[in-house]
């Protein structure tokens, strides 16, 4: 059997994947038959495939075939296959550095496929491995993304774990990790993730890719965590980060991959949900654990009804909720295992809440459904309620006792998880409400405790708020108290607990500071939900006397912070006019000089009070003496904002000064080139950093307060400002937002990112602030790089500020004459004028010889940004007189800018204009010369026609004489018909003579007029539409010439046919007149000759008319040429004048 050629086998392989096995066998036979020439033949045959960069289906099939054939090691021919693989890979590596990207791509693709397809028994020399490693590492830095991706796939099997097996010393792995953070193409990052070796060293980087910008890369990261990474190899922080990001994904494909990872981890713990929650550290990552349980319930891995049924079976997960609370309280010291674990507490809370939500939804459905649907929904709701009752403790008293037992044991986290379950029970019973009140009162009266003071074997310990806790336990207690008691009773319980914490008998203890801070925190929790004007003056004064005044003068910053917070809440509830300015003065003092945490709270409180009552009401509470002293300071140095006293200046100026303060070291910008820190994984996704910023950065708090004030009160909120009006504040906020590092100050970045679109969509007076603040912001940032980004964002905001007639119909004060098709920004005309004026002032800086290169570059970038923003600014159309005046100013400014720009452009291109004008002038002279030559040719043609006319007249005279003689001889014999014919001939001859005379006169006039016009019209200089006239004249010329030619040919043919007819008629007459022999014959010939000459005369007249039309067209062309010449001369004069003026 004859083995097919290499080309035939490759052709068969590109048709279908089904024949690849057969083709591999044939190719192996072909290689075995002629091993010496096989490799060169194969290399020559695959060159067209290597040149195909597009991933065509046929080319991909050939590549897959080559990979399968090279990796094939048939039994008995292993050495032959290994030798060929090594030789073929060497050939491909030689082509890896080709200039054609298609060759590099296909080479890396085949090498990657072969390396990944080779079996573990394949033998390749170490030299080839080292060469492949060097070549593919070089291709990993290729400029083509597809080549880099294939090079990453090729390096997958070349990674070496080293002695420790963690790949930390492998240069391929290090190259992968470096490129993973710097690569811009998603396909390359995806290929690297798929090729990266998994170890303790690389797992953090894989988890970090779950927050990649590309959906495909995040999906591949979750797939890698699912298939390659055991859950035991991932740290708790990384597990929590991966699940939190995955379950919060907006991309369906990425979220599906994250859910698959959660399923795999759930199965890794053999379906034990509590073990999974323990691996996630439910105590530290409560939100993540809760989301994981909810997702497992959603996908059916946890069935709440079955979990509730397990209580009756005696095998509830984690011991369940139905346990002996008294036994727990008595024995937890000897056996801490009787307490619920944090994982079990979170698990049972989520399960019970899911059962309650399902029962509520089914009940609501049953209430609105009818018929069978109502019966089914009611049955489902009943089953869910029964399951919920089976899962919860038997009564509210049992649950309260269980909560108290865990709280007394120090398992505050567990108690906090169980406490919300009280809302799922029936609290209509007075006993249950009283029990809840007693529980809350007892827990609130406890002295603040530290988590470290709890028994070591108790899980779920948490510190009180005053000892560094997050205050979640206290908030839960107050929330349950509000659900179980009346508002008056809630106030009594909280205030009495605060008084108990400040008991003088305990004031001398070591925890007096913590007790005072805890008491103030409880009062703040009470006031946060209190409605305005709900607190009596006596109660407010009592709080001020017993809590606030001692607190604001306390030595501890934590106590002062809580006291300032309570003071601000008191101001919100009761107002600022009833305390003789004490609230405002204390808050201003705290803002001026105190710890950063206290200043943050003071800034927030002042912002809230200014928002509610207005800054002028707050400024009215200042001491007049202090205002006078501040004015004196302002007279000494009005331009210096830094000398403004935070104690006496307007509140808005004080907040602006705080916002401008430099950021502390704790909030310094991060290094953009810093490597990923494995030990500093933020499980909260930036929430921890934002909370730290909220507690310790006064500038952020002041910026938030000013943003709220601008958005709600607009320019009216800054009437009393002396240094910073609303426009200046918006400009400062813009500069803050455009320069902030979102990683260092995420809260400020997020706040302003929401604020500016809201401001641009606010009422008209607020929207105008965006346009007014644009130029000050540009000026402030003009000395920094990236000014173009500032202009782009401002243009985006101005688009938000655009209004149309629809918005004016909804209550805006803008003119109703604005067309619906036009949208304009409020204040756009003024901004446009200001931008143009600013650009005209800055342009000379770009031409200043003394300026440095950097200054010139920044100035040019600034001007370009001004221009782009001016173009993007929507300007209102001028319909009213005021708008017309504004438009006139704008047009004047734009005209000045346009003149300057045109002058600069013409000065730069004057030489080119001169050269172009000279070339155009020479072309016009050539056209004029051609026109003169054409006129001379027409004159020669006219002379020829004159000579032909003379000959025709002579022949006509001879013919007439002969005819007269014949008529005299035969006059007696001719009848009436012959006389009429002779008269007609005479009339036609007379007409021909007249036509010839008129043609001669017209020809003479046309020739004279054409010569004079060609000379005079060449000097005319007035024409404005050169191209349009040339096109129209060309079309008219073509139509006239074609029409005249057709008419001339038709006239000539008609004349010839008439002459022939006359000759035939004369011949008939000759036969009829038998008596006239030779004389009659001569007469007939003379008549025919005369008619022929008449036809020729008619043709000559037509030629003269055609000549006249042609001369008219030439005159128009000459006029057009002269106009172009005049236009070129005018441009030359304008360029010379511009050059002289500049």
């Amino acid at each position: 059997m004859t083995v097919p050629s290499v080309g035939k086998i490759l052709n068969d392989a590109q048709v279908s994947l089904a024949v690849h096995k057969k083709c591999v066998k044939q190719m192996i036979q072909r290689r075995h038959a002629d091993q010496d020439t096989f490799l060169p033949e194969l290399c020559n045959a695959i060159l067209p495939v290597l040149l195909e960069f597009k991933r065509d289906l046929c080319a991909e099939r050939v590549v897959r075939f080559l990979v399968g054939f090279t990796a094939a090691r048939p039994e008995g021919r292993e050495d032959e296959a290994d030798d060929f693989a090594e030789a073929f890979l060497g050939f491909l590596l030689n082509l890896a550095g080709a200039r054609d990207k298609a060759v590099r791509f296909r080479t890396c693709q085949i090498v990657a496929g072969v390396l990944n397809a080779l079996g573990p028994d394949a033998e390749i020399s170490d030299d080839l491995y080292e060469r492949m490693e060097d070549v593919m590492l070089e291709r990993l830095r290729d400029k083509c993304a597809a080549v880099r991706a294939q090079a990453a796939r090729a390096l997958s099997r070349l990674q070496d774990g080293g002695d420790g097996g963690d790949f930390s010393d492998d240069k391929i792995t290090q190259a992968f990790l470096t490129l993973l953070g710097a690569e811009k193409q998603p396909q390359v990052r995806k290929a690297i993730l798929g090729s990266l070796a998994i170890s303790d060293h690389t797992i953090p980087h894989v988890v970090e890719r779950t927050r990649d910008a590309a959906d495909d890369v995040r999906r591949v990261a979750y797939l890698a965590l699912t298939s390659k990474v055991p859950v035991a190899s991932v740290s708790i922080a990384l597990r929590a980060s991966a699940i939190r990001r995955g379950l919060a994904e907006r991309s369906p494909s990425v979220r599906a991959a994250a859910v698959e990872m959660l399923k795999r981890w759930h199965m890794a713990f053999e379906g034990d949900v509590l073990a999974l929650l323990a691996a996630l550290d439910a105590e530290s990552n409560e939100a993540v654990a809760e989301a994981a349980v909810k997702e497992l319930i959603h996908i059916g891995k946890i069935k709440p009804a079955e979990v509730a049924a397990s209580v009756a079976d005696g095998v509830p997960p984690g011991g369940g909720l139905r346990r002996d609370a008294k036994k727990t309280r008595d024995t937890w010291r000897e056996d801490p295992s009787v307490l619920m674990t944090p994982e079990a507490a979170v698990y049972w809370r989520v399960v019970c809440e899911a059962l309650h939500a399902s029962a509520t939804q089914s009940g609501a459905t049953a209430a609105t459904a009818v018929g069978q649907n109502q019966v089914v929904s009611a049955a489902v709701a009943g089953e869910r309620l029964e399951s919920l009752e089976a899962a919860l403790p038997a009564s509210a008293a049992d649950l309260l006792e269980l909560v108290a037992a865990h709280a007394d044991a120090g398992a505050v986290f567990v108690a906090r998880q169980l406490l919300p379950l009280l809302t799922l029970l029936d609290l209509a019973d007075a006993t249950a409400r009283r029990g809840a009140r007693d529980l809350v009162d007892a827990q609130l009266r406890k002295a603040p405790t530290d988590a470290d003071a709890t028994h070591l074997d108790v899980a779920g310990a948490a510190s009180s708020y005053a000892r560094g806790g997050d205050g979640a336990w206290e908030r839960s207690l107050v929330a349950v108290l509000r659900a179980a008691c009346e508002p008056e009773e809630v106030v009594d319980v909280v205030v009495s607990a605060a008084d108990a914490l400040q008991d003088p008998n305990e004031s001398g203890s070591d925890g007096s500071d913590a007790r005072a801070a805890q008491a103030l925190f409880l009062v703040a929790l009470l006031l946060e939900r209190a409605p305005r004007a709900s607190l009596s003056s006596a109660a407010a004064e009592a709080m001020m006397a017993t809590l606030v005044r001692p607190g604001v003068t306390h030595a501890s910053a934590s106590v002062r912070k809580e006291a300032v917070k309570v003071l601000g809440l008191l101001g919100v509830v009761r107002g600022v006019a009833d305390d003789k300015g004490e609230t405002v003065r204390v808050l201003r003092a705290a803002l001026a000089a105190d710890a950063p945490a206290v200043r943050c709270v003071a800034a927030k409180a002042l912002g809230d009070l200014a928002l509610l009552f207005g800054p002028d009401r707050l400024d009215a509470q200042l001491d007049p003496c202090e205002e006078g002293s501040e004015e004196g300071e302002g007279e000494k140095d009005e331009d210096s904002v830094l000398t403004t006293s935070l104690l006496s200046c307007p509140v808005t100026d004080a907040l602006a000064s705080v916002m401008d303060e430099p950021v502390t070291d704790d909030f310094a910008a991060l290094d953009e080139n810093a490597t990923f820190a494995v030990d500093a994984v933020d499980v909260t996704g930036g929430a921890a950093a934002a909370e730290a910023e909220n507690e310790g950065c006064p500038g952020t708090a002041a910026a938030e307060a000013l943003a709220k004030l601008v958005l709600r009160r607009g320019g009216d909120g800054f009437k009393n400002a002396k240094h910073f009006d609303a426009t200046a504040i918006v400009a400062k906020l813009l500069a803050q937002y455009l320069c902030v590092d979102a990683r260092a100050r995420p809260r400020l970045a997020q706040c302003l990112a929401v604020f500016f679109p809201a401001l641009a969509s606010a009422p008209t007076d607020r929207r105008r602030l965006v346009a007014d603040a644009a130029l000050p912001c540009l000026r402030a940032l003009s000395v920094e790089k990236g000014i173009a980004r500032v202009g782009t964002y401002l243009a985006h905001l101005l688009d938000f500020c655009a209004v149309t007639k629809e918005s004016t119909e909804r209550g805006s004060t803008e003119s109703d004459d604005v067309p619906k098709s036009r949208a304009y920004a409020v204040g756009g005309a003024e901004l446009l004028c200001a931008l143009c004026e600013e650009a005209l002032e800055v342009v000379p800086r770009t031409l200043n010889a003394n300026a440095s290169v950097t200054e010139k570059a920044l100035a040019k970038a600034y001007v370009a940004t001004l221009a782009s923003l001016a173009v993007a600014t929507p300007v209102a159309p001028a319909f009213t007189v005021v708008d017309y005046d504004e438009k006139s100013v704008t047009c004047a400014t734009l005209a000045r800018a346009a003149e300057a720009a045109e002058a600069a452009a013409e000065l730069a291109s004057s030489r080119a204009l001169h050269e172009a004008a000279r070339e155009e002038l020479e072309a016009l002279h050539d056209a004029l010369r051609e026109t003169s030559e054409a006129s001379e040719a027409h004159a020669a043609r006219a002379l020829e026609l004159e000579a032909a006319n003379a000959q025709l007249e002579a022949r006509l005279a001879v013919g007439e004489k002969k005819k007269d003689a014949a008529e005299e001889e035969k006059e007696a014999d001719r009848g009436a018909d012959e006389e009429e014919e002779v008269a007609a001939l005479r009339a036609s001859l007379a007409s021909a003579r007249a036509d010839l005379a008129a043609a001669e006169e017209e020809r003479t006039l046309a020739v004279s007029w054409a010569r004079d016009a060609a000379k005079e019209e060449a000097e005319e200089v007035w024409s404005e539409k050169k191209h349009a006239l040339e096109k129209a004249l060309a079309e008219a010329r073509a139509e006239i010439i074609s029409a005249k030619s057709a008419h001339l040919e038709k006239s000539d043919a008609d004349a010839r046919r008439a002459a022939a007819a006359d000759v035939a008629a004369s011949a008939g007459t000759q036969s009829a007149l038998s008596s006239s022999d030779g004389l009659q014959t001569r007469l007939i010939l003379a008549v025919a000759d005369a008619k022929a000459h008449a036809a020729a005369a008619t043709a000559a007249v037509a030629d003269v008319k055609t000549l006249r039309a042609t001369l008219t067209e030439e005159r128009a062309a000459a006029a057009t040429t002269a106009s172009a010449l005049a236009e070129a001369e005018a441009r030359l004069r304008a360029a010379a004048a511009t050059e002289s003026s500049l």
Side-chain angles (χ1 to χ4, degrees):
M1 180 178 179
T2 304
V3 180
S5 63
V6 173
K8 178 66 169 59
I9 296 173
L10 291 176
N11 288 337
D12 295 340
Q14 73 176 348
V15 175
S16 174
L17 297 176
V19 299
H20 277 196
K21 291 184 178 179
K22 175 184 175 182
C23 293
V24 168
K25 294 180 180 179
Q26 293 177 351
M27 192 69 82
I28 291 174
Q29 293 177 3
R30 181 71 180 176
R31 181 183 65 191
H32 182 70
D34 192 0
Q35 299 183 13
D36 295 335
T37 61
F38 175 75
L39 181 60
E41 184 180 1
L42 177 64
C43 295
N44 291 328
I46 66 173
L47 286 180
V49 179
L50 298 180
L51 294 172
E52 183 65 32
F53 183 75
K54 184 180 179 181
R55 306 200 72 166
D56 185 71
L57 185 59
C58 295
E60 292 299 317
R61 288 171 181 165
V62 174
V63 170
R64 290 187 61 177
F65 168 73
L66 291 173
V67 170
F69 165 65
T70 307
R73 302 178 77 248
E75 186 177 356
R77 299 179 181 176
E78 291 83 355
D79 295 339
E80 176 185 335
D82 293 341
D83 294 340
F84 168 75
E86 187 166 352
F88 185 57
L89 289 175
F91 163 74
L92 294 175
L93 293 178
N94 291 333
L95 299 177
R99 297 181 62 182
D100 192 349
K101 65 178 181 180
V103 177
R104 300 197 306 272
F105 167 68
R106 292 298 179 182
T107 299
C108 295
Q109 184 185 19
I110 297 174
V111 171
V114 170
L115 287 178
N116 293 322
L118 285 176
D121 299 332
E123 296 182 0
I124 296 180
S125 63
D126 295 339
D127 295 338
L128 181 61
Y129 262 101
E130 293 177 358
R131 185 184 175 195
M132 281 192 296
E133 181 178 349
D134 295 338
V135 173
M136 290 299 110
L137 280 175
E138 183 179 359
R139 290 304 98 210
L140 199 61
R141 298 185 296 273
D142 196 278
K143 62 182 180 180
C144 180
V147 178
R148 298 198 298 272
Q150 295 301 327
R153 292 183 59 243
L155 291 169
S156 176
R157 290 188 62 178
L158 301 181
Q159 299 175 84
D160 185 7
D163 297 336
D166 59 352
F167 297 91
S168 58
D169 297 330
D170 183 57
K171 61 180 180 180
I172 297 178
T173 305
Q174 294 300 323
F176 278 170
L177 297 180
T178 301
L179 190 60
L180 196 60
E183 178 58 51
K184 296 182 179 180
Q185 295 297 326
Q187 59 173 331
V188 183
R189 299 198 300 270
K190 185 167 64 173
I192 292 175
L193 274 179
S195 304
L196 186 64
I198 300 300
S199 66
D200 294 340
H201 178 64
T202 59
I203 286 176
H205 299 274
V206 177
V207 176
E208 179 66 12
R209 285 301 101 193
T210 58
R211 58 194 297 264
D212 194 276
D215 295 348
D216 292 341
V217 179
R218 298 199 301 274
R219 179 175 176 273
V220 171
Y222 280 111
L223 292 177
L225 291 173
T226 304
S227 59
K228 295 183 180 181
V229 182
V231 64
S233 301
V234 187
S235 65
I236 294 176
L238 295 179
R239 293 173 198 159
S241 297
I243 290 182
R244 179 187 58 79
R245 295 169 187 163
L247 297 183
E249 267 288 346
R250 290 176 291 181
S251 175
S253 60
V254 181
R255 194 178 191 282
V259 172
E260 289 297 325
M261 180 193 70
L262 180 60
K263 291 180 182 178
R264 179 66 63 89
W265 288 4
H266 179 246
M267 295 305 298
F269 291 102
E270 299 179 353
D272 188 355
V273 181
L274 297 182
L276 175 62
L277 296 182
L280 295 175
D281 191 4
E283 184 179 354
S284 301
N285 306 305
E286 177 187 352
V288 177
E290 180 180 353
V293 176
K294 288 182 178 179
E295 186 62 32
L296 291 174
I297 293 174
H298 178 71
I299 62 179
K301 293 296 182 180
I302 299 177
K303 295 179 173 56
E306 295 180 359
V307 175
S310 66
V311 177
D313 297 338
V315 287
L321 297 174
R322 293 204 169 194
R323 57 179 69 204
D324 190 351
K326 186 176 183 304
K327 180 181 177 181
T328 302
R329 182 188 296 273
D330 296 338
T331 62
W332 70 266
R333 291 179 176 83
E334 293 78 16
D335 184 14
S337 62
V338 298
L339 297 173
M340 289 187 69
T341 61
E343 299 80 26
V346 173
Y347 175 77
W348 280 102
R349 177 178 64 83
V350 176
V351 168
C352 292
E353 289 176 350
L355 286 171
H356 183 265
S358 179
T360 303
Q361 182 179 1
S362 299
T365 304
T368 57
V370 294
Q372 190 66 25
N373 291 335
Q374 181 182 14
V375 176
V376 172
S377 299
V380 172
E383 292 177 359
R384 297 293 184 270
L385 288 175
E386 291 176 359
S387 299
L388 180 60
E389 291 176 359
L392 289 173
S395 63
D398 295 339
L399 180 58
L400 289 171
E401 190 174 355
L402 185 63
V403 172
H406 284 82
D408 294 339
V412 176
F413 179 84
V414 177
R416 182 166 61 83
Q417 298 300 317
L418 300 177
L419 199 58
L421 298 179
L422 283 171
T423 59
L424 306 182
L425 296 172
D426 186 11
L427 294 178
D429 187 8
T431 304
R433 296 198 302 271
R434 189 181 307 109
R437 179 186 184 282
D438 295 340
L439 172 66
V440 173
D441 184 59
Q443 296 299 323
L444 291 180
R445 288 173 178 270
K446 284 186 177 181
T449 58
D450 197 339
D452 296 336
T454 310
H455 195 281
L456 294 178
D457 295 331
V458 175
S463 301
S464 300
Y465 176 81
R467 294 292 187 180
D470 55 0
W473 170 240
E474 292 83 356
R475 293 180 186 276
S476 299
L477 290 172
V478 175
V480 169
L481 184 63
R482 286 197 176 98
C485 303
E486 295 296 329
E488 295 80 3
E489 195 173 0
V490 172
V491 174
D492 292 340
V493 171
V494 174
V495 173
S496 62
D499 292 338
L501 288 172
Q502 286 192 324
D503 189 354
N505 297 327
E506 301 291 339
S507 60
S509 62
D510 296 337
S512 59
D513 295 349
R515 295 170 70 90
Q518 187 77 4
L520 289 167
F521 176 68
L522 295 180
V523 175
L525 292 178
L526 178 65
L527 294 176
E528 283 177 356
R529 300 287 297 274
R532 293 179 60 185
S534 62
L535 194 65
S536 63
S537 300
E541 182 59 31
M543 289 184 182
M544 289 289 295
T546 59
L547 295 172
V548 178
R549 292 190 183 101
V552 295
T553 58
H554 203 279
S556 174
S558 61
V559 177
R560 294 199 305 274
K561 170 189 170 184
E562 298 303 324
V564 170
K565 183 177 181 180
V566 172
L567 179 62
L569 292 172
L570 279 174
V572 171
V573 173
R574 67 171 181 172
V576 296
D578 298 336
D579 60 352
K580 299 180 181 180
E582 182 182 5
T583 300
V584 177
R585 289 195 299 272
V586 173
L587 292 177
R588 295 289 293 270
L591 180 66
D594 211 321
V598 182
R599 298 184 68 197
C600 287
V601 176
K604 294 177 184 178
L606 286 172
D608 293 340
L609 293 175
L611 192 63
L612 289 174
F613 305 107
D616 51 346
R617 292 276 300 276
L618 271 63
D619 295 337
Q621 306 298 322
L622 296 177
D623 189 355
C625 298
E626 294 181 355
E627 292 182 1
S629 63
E630 194 273 332
E631 290 177 359
E633 293 177 0
E635 293 175 358
K636 294 179 182 178
D637 189 3
E638 295 181 356
D639 297 332
S640 178
V641 180
L642 296 178
T643 59
T644 304
S645 174
L646 296 179
L647 290 173
S648 55
C649 69
V651 63
T652 54
D653 289 348
L655 292 174
S657 300
V658 173
M659 182 179 65
D660 291 339
E661 292 179 357
V663 182
T664 59
D665 296 337
D666 295 337
F667 298 96
L670 299 177
D671 183 7
E672 295 183 357
N673 299 320
T675 57
F676 175 66
V678 177
D679 299 332
V681 179
D682 188 4
V683 182
T684 62
E691 184 63 25
E693 179 188 3
N694 183 38
E695 296 292 336
C697 185
T700 299
E704 291 182 10
L706 290 172
K708 294 177 184 177
L709 196 59
V710 170
L711 188 60
R712 295 302 179 187
R713 290 186 172 267
D716 295 339
F718 298 85
K719 291 181 178 180
N720 293 343
K722 297 182 179 179
H723 300 282
F724 305 107
D725 57 359
T727 301
I729 294 298
V730 174
K732 285 180 174 293
L733 292 174
L734 272 170
Q736 289 271 353
Y737 175 61
L738 294 170
C739 297
V740 69
D741 187 348
R743 296 176 299 173
R745 301 178 70 180
R747 185 178 180 88
L748 178 62
Q750 181 64 25
C751 171
L752 297 181
V754 176
F755 163 71
F756 285 113
L759 180 63
S761 304
T764 304
D765 58 333
R766 275 75 153 178
R767 288 200 304 269
R768 190 180 186 90
L769 294 175
V770 177
D772 294 342
L775 188 57
C777 178
L778 287 173
R779 288 172 178 168
L781 300 178
S782 61
V783 296
E784 303 291 339
K785 293 183 178 179
I787 189 66
R789 180 175 62 90
V790 178
T792 303
Y793 184 72
L794 290 174
H796 177 67
L797 285 182
L798 291 174
D799 288 338
F800 267 88
C801 293
V803 296
T804 58
K805 187 175 180 180
E806 290 83 349
S807 63
T808 60
E809 291 175 352
R810 291 194 295 266
S812 177
T813 59
E814 297 296 326
S815 174
D816 289 337
D817 296 328
V818 180
K820 292 185 179 181
S821 60
R822 291 292 301 272
Y824 61 93
V826 179
E830 293 85 347
L831 175 61
L832 188 59
C833 294
L835 290 174
C836 296
E837 295 287 350
E838 182 75 7
L840 292 176
E841 293 180 2
V842 177
V843 165
R845 301 181 194 171
T846 61
L847 305 176
N848 188 3
N850 298 327
S852 63
V853 176
T854 303
E855 291 175 349
K856 290 182 178 179
L858 291 175
K860 290 181 180 178
Y862 183 41
V863 172
T865 302
L866 292 172
S868 62
L869 185 58
V871 171
T873 302
V875 181
F879 288 103
T880 63
V881 176
V882 177
D883 290 338
Y884 181 78
D885 294 339
E886 295 177 355
K887 198 76 173 182
S888 300
V889 176
T890 303
C891 291
T893 307
L894 286 175
R896 292 177 57 193
E899 290 175 0
E902 289 178 0
E906 290 180 0
L907 180 62
S909 60
S910 59
R911 294 183 179 178
L913 290 175
H914 282 296
E915 293 296 332
R918 290 193 190 98
E919 293 178 358
E920 189 173 359
L921 186 60
E922 292 177 359
L924 292 174
H925 284 306
D926 294 338
L928 182 61
R929 191 181 302 109
E930 292 177 358
T931 303
S932 301
E933 293 176 355
S935 299
E936 292 176 358
H938 288 306
R941 174 61 177 166
L943 293 176
E944 292 178 358
L945 291 175
E946 290 178 358
N949 189 20
Q951 294 178 0
L952 180 61
E953 289 179 351
R955 292 180 63 185
L956 287 175
V958 173
E960 187 175 358
K961 290 179 180 179
K962 291 180 180 180
K963 182 179 178 181
D964 292 339
E967 287 180 355
E968 291 176 356
E969 292 176 357
K970 301 297 180 179
E971 183 177 359
D973 299 330
R974 294 179 62 180
D977 297 334
E978 295 168 345
E979 291 179 357
E980 293 178 359
E981 183 179 358
V982 171
L985 288 173
R986 287 179 178 177
S988 62
L989 287 174
S991 176
R993 289 192 188 98
D995 291 339
L996 287 174
E1000 177 62 20
E1001 184 179 1
E1002 290 178 359
R1003 181 194 62 76
T1004 304
L1005 291 175
V1007 171
S1008 175
W1009 174 75
R1011 289 176 180 175
D1012 296 338
K1015 292 180 180 179
E1016 293 175 358
E1017 295 296 333
E1019 298 176 356
E1020 293 183 357
V1021 293
W1022 310 110
S1023 176
E1024 298 178 357
K1025 299 181 179 179
K1026 174 182 177 182
H1027 298 291
L1029 289 175
E1030 286 179 351
K1031 183 177 180 181
L1033 288 173
E1035 293 176 355
R1037 184 186 303 169
E1039 293 177 359
I1040 293 173
I1041 291 175
S1042 60
K1044 294 298 181 180
S1045 299
H1047 180 70
L1048 184 60
E1049 291 177 357
K1050 182 178 179 181
S1051 300
D1052 188 35
D1054 293 339
R1056 293 181 183 278
R1057 285 195 300 271
D1062 291 341
V1063 171
S1066 299
T1069 304
Q1070 182 180 4
S1071 62
L1073 301 175
S1074 56
S1075 60
S1076 56
D1077 295 330
L1079 183 59
Q1080 184 68 22
T1081 301
R1082 288 193 299 272
L1083 179 59
I1084 292 172
L1085 292 175
V1087 171
D1089 194 13
K1091 291 184 177 182
H1093 284 296
T1098 302
V1101 172
D1103 288 340
V1104 171
K1105 292 180 179 180
T1106 303
L1107 177 61
R1108 183 176 60 182
T1110 304
L1111 289 175
T1112 302
E1113 295 170 359
E1114 294 298 332
R1115 185 193 65 172
T1120 303
T1121 304
S1123 300
L1125 179 61
E1127 185 179 1
E1129 291 176 352
R1131 268 186 279 173
L1132 286 174
R1133 294 191 190 99
T1138 303
E1139 184 175 1
S1140 300
S1141 61
L1142 293 178

